[in-house]
Amino acid sequence: MGPRGLALWIPPGQVKQDLCLSAAAAAPMHTNQRTMQSLRRSIISHRAAFAPVVSVNPLYAPAGAVWGMVAQRRHKSTDALADELVSACDELLAAGKRINWVFLGAPGVGKGTYASRISKLMKIPHISAGDLVRDEIKRGTELGARMSAITSKGQLLPDAMILDILKGRVEKGIEEGERGFLLDGFPRTVAQAEELNKFTEVQQVMNLGLREDILVEKCCARRVCKECGKNFNIADIYHPGDPPIVMPPLNPPAGCEDKMEQRKDDTEEVVKARLQVYKDNSVPVEEFYRTAGMLTDFEIKSGIPETMPRILKVILDIVRSTPK
């Protein structure tokens, strides 16, 4: 490797992708720009295991190879922040503190996606009010049938319904020795926040934000594997700007591809109705927690690989500043 070279891990299949990009660049008049953007975004978001080291000069390297290097560096940064967050949470819990957090945000913003990842680092359960409701509906209970009739119209469920199943889940966690919880999808109103405070203490609240047109696009592209229950999103979002908003799809693995189903309430009409209802109630509950000094606003501007280091840094600073 010469002085102008650079050692770089290249993801499997990267050479083939780079050849595609290079060939397209040589014939721009015959290349679909949207396809090029999608290819580059797929390379950026690629997080598979890395292949053997090769020598690459970044001045002459194909676009995919350079983006692969950027993605690898970002991944290392995320891992370092994750390790620091694990240690910071362990120290807080060793001091006898619980970690009771809430993630707020409109439907489709990614509360569940980020909450599920971050809760594992904090070693606390991720409790989704939406998942609790969907489980109730799936089990075919009388309460679940009433919930289904309401949500299919894009309306929010009555407080008493959600509070009942949520209280049971929190109390069960305390009995089993859980270190806290990361709750997403609740509360959505001041009344719910006040009722929540009656049976548990919320310590910090993250308010996730995202442009409404992108929220609609993401919600309509959500898919669930009917076998394993995992959530995916087939939307391939690119909105120009400074910086551009780039969100590659979160596609299912091969074993889930033919088992995808769309939620009944993830149609454009219902999604827009749900977002309007959320907006009508969200400002007061945000102010409720902001006045209490517990709210942190966080704007999402890109996909998971780019967003995770940013949100981990914010959360790490909050945990470290919590009195012990």
Side-chain angles (χ1 to χ4, degrees):
M1 179 172 63
R4 298 171 66 187
L6 176 67
L8 167 67
W9 291 95
I10 302 298
Q14 185 69 71
V15 174
K16 181 178 179 181
Q17 291 176 324
D18 289 341
L19 289 174
C20 292
L21 290 171
S22 299
M29 295 300 292
H30 304 286
T31 300
N32 183 282
Q33 186 65 28
R34 180 71 176 178
T35 300
M36 289 290 291
Q37 292 167 347
S38 181
L39 281 170
R40 287 192 170 94
R41 293 199 299 278
S42 296
I43 292 170
I44 296 171
S45 63
H46 187 65
R47 304 300 297 274
F50 294 103
V53 171
V54 297
S55 178
V56 179
N57 187 327
L59 295 177
Y60 305 104
V66 175
W67 279 119
M69 177 176 63
V70 172
Q72 183 192 7
R73 288 177 176 173
R74 183 183 297 117
H75 182 45
K76 288 182 177 178
S77 173
T78 301
D79 286 346
L81 287 168
D83 289 341
E84 291 182 54
L85 180 58
V86 170
S87 297
C89 288
D90 284 345
E91 291 176 8
L92 196 62
L93 291 160
K97 302 289 185 179
R98 286 178 60 81
I99 301 177
N100 294 346
W101 282 48
V102 168
F103 272 22
L104 296 179
V109 75
K111 298 184 298 297
T113 298
Y114 292 105
S116 63
R117 287 163 168 76
I118 293 168
S119 65
K120 291 176 182 177
L121 300 176
M122 291 178 144
K123 299 179 183 177
I124 55 177
H126 164 219
I127 301 178
S128 166
D131 286 347
L132 292 177
V133 169
R134 282 186 284 274
D135 180 64
E136 195 74 25
I137 293 174
K138 186 176 180 179
R139 290 192 293 116
T141 65
E142 181 182 347
L143 176 61
R146 287 185 313 204
M147 289 177 167
S148 179
I150 295 171
T151 57
S152 63
K153 299 176 184 177
Q155 299 175 355
L156 295 179
L157 294 172
D159 293 358
M161 284 186 177
I162 304 178
L163 286 164
D164 185 45
I165 56 175
L166 181 57
K167 183 179 180 181
R169 174 62 185 86
V170 171
E171 291 178 344
K172 177 184 176 183
I174 294 175
E175 291 174 0
E176 296 179 353
E178 292 176 345
R179 310 184 338 163
F181 58 78
L182 203 167
L183 173 64
D184 90 71
F186 193 89
R188 292 182 175 178
T189 67
V190 172
Q192 290 175 349
E194 291 173 340
E195 288 298 316
L196 182 62
N197 282 345
K198 291 181 179 179
F199 61 85
T200 190
E201 178 187 4
V202 173
Q203 297 156 342
Q204 292 292 334
V205 179
M206 291 289 292
N207 184 35
L208 307 184
L210 182 64
R211 275 174 37 181
E212 184 172 334
D213 57 329
I214 299 177
L215 281 172
V216 174
E217 188 174 351
K218 286 190 64 184
C219 283
C220 292
R222 292 192 295 194
R223 298 294 185 273
V224 181
C225 176
K226 57 186 178 182
E227 183 172 292
C228 71
K230 291 184 178 180
N231 295 293
F232 304 95
N233 198 298
I234 61 175
D236 188 7
I237 297 171
Y238 176 79
H239 288 262
D242 186 19
I245 298 177
V246 182
M247 296 182 178
L250 182 61
N251 291 318
C256 297
E257 284 179 347
D258 59 347
K259 303 179 181 68
M260 293 294 97
E261 60 182 11
Q262 186 178 25
R263 297 172 185 166
K264 293 181 180 179
D265 58 344
D266 276 350
T267 63
E268 184 173 353
E269 181 180 0
V270 173
V271 167
K272 287 183 175 180
R274 199 162 63 230
L275 287 175
Q276 186 58 53
V277 172
Y278 176 82
K279 285 192 294 184
D280 292 342
N281 291 280
S282 64
V283 174
V285 73
E286 289 167 15
E287 289 305 312
F288 175 84
Y289 285 119
R290 184 174 286 110
T291 301
M294 293 188 288
L295 188 89
T296 300
D297 292 305
F298 184 88
E299 190 71 15
I300 296 175
K301 302 177 181 177
S302 52
I304 297 172
E306 296 80 13
T307 301
M308 277 301 290
R310 293 178 51 233
I311 195 169
L312 283 176
K313 180 64 169 63
V314 172
I315 292 174
L316 179 60
D317 289 344
I318 294 173
V319 172
R320 282 176 171 169
S321 64
T322 302
K324 297 182 176 63

